[in-house]
Amino acid sequence: MALHDGLVNWPLFFGCILLGFGPLACLFFIVVAKRAQLVIIALSGAFVWLVAILVTASLWHTIPPFQTSLSATIPLAVIVHELFRLLFFYLYTHTELAVKRVTTSSHQLPLNDITSSLAGGVGFALMHSLLMFGTGLSTLALTIIDVALMIIAFDGYRNRSVLSIGAVFGIHMGVALSALANLNTNGCFISIPVHYAGAVLVCMGATTIVYRSKRFAVDGK
């Protein structure tokens, strides 16, 4: 983002920031920020992601072979994050049950899996993009993937769908491993298309889940 004289190219800088974080910011202010409960879930998601990366870093520091092999560190990070995604869902469901036990009004917990998973995905995506910002294009794809994967994961955990859970893990692993291409010259020509291919896949899955949820809600009425 620097010019040949060392000065910062400010239009390019702000353009990359808006490209990478703009859609996520819109999602936060349009959907999440309207409910305090969703804001709390988003912040909780961000905290869980941060703890997951700290656990990964601790394992990397403790186990010497990981320190010399990026191709081994990336799968480790994916496994740890998926375990913490499951932990996040577990904490959410237990909080949901605890609140329902102490209240008789449905208005006290105006949440469902779709909005809650979206908020949690926003939290994951925000912390991920802030700590590992690469380029505007890659950040945009990764934020989309983080949000959509959370929606699919919540649906998979709730329905105990091995297919959905496996798809979340597989796509996450594939997209993460594609970053190894960046070790080579012009590797972004491989990694970024893979990121967007993953984003398209998870968006299709998340859209299907949202559509199905709305259809069931209408049928229930």
Side-chain angles (χ1 to χ4, degrees), residues 172-186:
H172 189 179
M173 183 67 75
V175 170
L177 288 174
S178 70
L180 292 173
N182 293 328
L183 297 175
N184 303 318
T185 304
N186 296 325

Side-chain angles (χ1 to χ4, degrees), residues 198-214:
V200 170
L201 286 176
V202 294
C203 280
M204 290 173 61
T207 301
T208 301
I209 292 170
V210 172
Y211 174 77
R212 185 182 64 199
S213 176
K214 288 185 176 181

Side-chain angles (χ1 to χ4, degrees), residues 126-150:
L126 178 62
M127 190 58 68
H128 186 182
S129 56
L130 286 176
L131 292 185
M132 298 187 176
F133 180 82
T135 65
L137 285 173
S138 63
T139 300
L140 174 60
L142 291 175
T143 54
I144 293 172
I145 290 172
D146 280 332
V147 174
L149 280 182
M150 189 66 80

Side-chain angles (χ1 to χ4, degrees), residues 20-39:
F21 294 95
L24 188 64
C26 291
L27 193 58
F28 177 82
F29 287 110
I30 293 174
V31 179
V32 178
K34 290 184 176 181
R35 291 183 179 176
Q37 298 94 335
L38 294 180
V39 174

Side-chain angles (χ1 to χ4, degrees), residues 41-54 84 123-124 127:
I41 292 174
L43 293 176
S44 300
F47 178 75
V48 169
W49 191 95
L50 182 60
V51 173
I53 200 66
L54 289 175
F84 272 84
F124 263 52
M127 190 58 68

Side-chain angles (χ1 to χ4, degrees), residues 1 35 50-51 62-63 81 91 105 166 181 203-204 213 221:
M1 295 185 186
R35 291 183 179 176
L50 182 60
V51 173
T62 304
I63 306 174
H81 275 85
L91 294 174
S105 174
C203 280
M204 290 173 61
S213 176
K221 294 179 180 179

